[in-house]
Amino acid sequence: AQTVTQSQPEMSVQEAETVTLSCTYDTSENNYYLFWYKQPPSRQMILVIRQEAYKQQNATENRFSVNFQKAAKSFSLKISDSQLGDTAMYFCARPASSNTGKLIFGQGTTLQVKP
Amino acid sequence: EAQVTQNPRYLITVTGKKLTVTCSQNMNHEYMSWYRQDPGLGLRQIYYSMNVEVTDKGDVPEGYKVSRKEKRNFPLILESPSPNQTSLYFCASSLRGAETYEQYFGPGTRLTVT
């Protein structure tokens, strides 16, 4: 079965500290993209970061970075200097296969940033 | 303002009463998709469309219909809603396929079927 697994349903972190959200997936593709989306309490889904599998360099967007381990099929999200506005549910996603438009999401991790 | 709009935002209906949730985007995106979000299950794709008149099933298409007659609109139709379709629904669009491009999401539609 094609799956994306987020093993941490809930996490919490103190403001200004660093937290890592885990995501593992399976795929038979060699070249693909991986995504992290954020859903704050407003419910609006927004893209946090995107990783191209053929790139060895981990993607970074300001305080957000990924640890991409292609062989292990692991795609974790690191949030540095956590802020109260980072409180949200985070979803990892990967394509079902190339050129199909099908996207598979994980179950989500709810992150609470505490003051 | 570039955006994806959905209507209605909230809907309570009864079993068997046909309903349509509209979705529209103003970004000239080729790709559009519908998802449902349920606790513990994340987002699951219902249907998607790679372009006008091109639609395909996602992972949970049963009980839903879609059409893509115009590039900007992608309505979701529930011909005979049932309580197990109570969920939070999102429409999304992207320049091209979501396997590569960032998706822009609508604000969500909370549907309750009694």
Side-chain angles (χ1 to χ4, degrees):
Chain A
Q2 297 174 331
T3 60
V4 177
T5 302
Q6 294 180 247
S7 58
Q8 306 147 314
E10 296 181 353
M11 296 187 72
S12 64
V13 63
Q14 291 296 131
E15 196 175 6
E17 294 187 348
T18 295
V19 63
T20 299
L21 282 58
S22 66
C23 174
T24 58
Y25 60 94
D26 63 5
T27 183
S28 57
E29 303 284 325
N30 188 50
N31 191 21
Y32 48 90
Y33 286 79
L34 295 164
F35 304 86
W36 278 99
Y37 282 89
K38 169 185 177 181
Q39 185 181 41
S42 66
R43 297 190 333 204
Q44 183 68 50
M45 294 277 290
I46 54 177
L47 179 69
V48 175
I49 200 164
R50 181 178 70 167
Q51 173 77 43
E52 298 176 70
Y54 75 89
K55 287 188 175 179
Q56 291 186 339
Q57 186 174 8
N58 290 324
T60 299
E61 289 287 342
N62 300 314
R63 297 182 295 106
F64 297 87
S65 62
V66 301
N67 181 6
F68 175 50
Q69 304 288 330
K70 190 174 183 180
K73 296 179 181 174
S74 171
F75 180 56
S76 59
L77 176 69
K78 187 172 85 170
I79 306 174
S80 304
D81 186 24
S82 298
Q83 301 176 359
L84 296 178
D86 296 333
T87 292
M89 182 169 280
Y90 289 82
F91 293 96
C92 174
R94 71 147 181 91
S97 61
S98 59
N99 299 320
T100 64
K102 287 187 71 171
L103 206 62
I104 299 174
F105 284 80
Q107 307 94 320
T109 295
T110 299
L111 176 67
Q112 177 77 40
V113 180
K114 298 180 178 179
Chain B
E1 178 189 356
Q3 61 183 348
V4 178
T5 57
Q6 291 178 233
N7 283 292
R9 296 286 307 279
Y10 300 90
L11 179 60
I12 300 174
T13 190
V14 296
T15 299
K17 186 176 182 181
K18 180 180 178 179
L19 66 91
T20 299
V21 184
T22 64
C23 173
S24 183
Q25 50 93 5
N26 63 0
M27 296 169 279
N28 201 35
H29 284 171
E30 290 185 358
Y31 178 96
M32 297 186 75
S33 181
W34 277 102
Y35 299 91
R36 60 178 290 175
Q37 181 178 2
D38 302 288
L41 297 177
L43 271 76
R44 293 179 294 167
Q45 195 170 31
I46 302 171
Y47 272 95
Y48 62 96
S49 169
M50 298 291 271
N51 214 325
V52 176
E53 300 292 1
V54 179
T55 63
D56 211 341
K57 296 177 181 178
D59 286 329
V60 288
E62 295 78 19
Y64 304 95
K65 286 176 57 178
V66 293
S67 67
R68 187 92 181 274
K69 293 181 171 53
E70 307 165 282
K71 199 170 188 178
R72 64 183 295 127
N73 296 323
F74 191 46
L76 179 70
I77 303 161
L78 284 71
E79 294 270 3
S80 182
S82 62
N84 65 12
Q85 292 178 298
T86 292
S87 187
L88 178 59
Y89 291 86
F90 286 98
C91 179
S93 73
S94 57
L95 184 62
R96 292 189 183 84
E99 74 277 11
T100 305
Y101 292 85
E102 173 183 3
Q103 287 188 94
Y104 295 82
F105 285 79
T109 295
R110 173 72 70 183
L111 172 65
T112 302
V113 183
T114 60

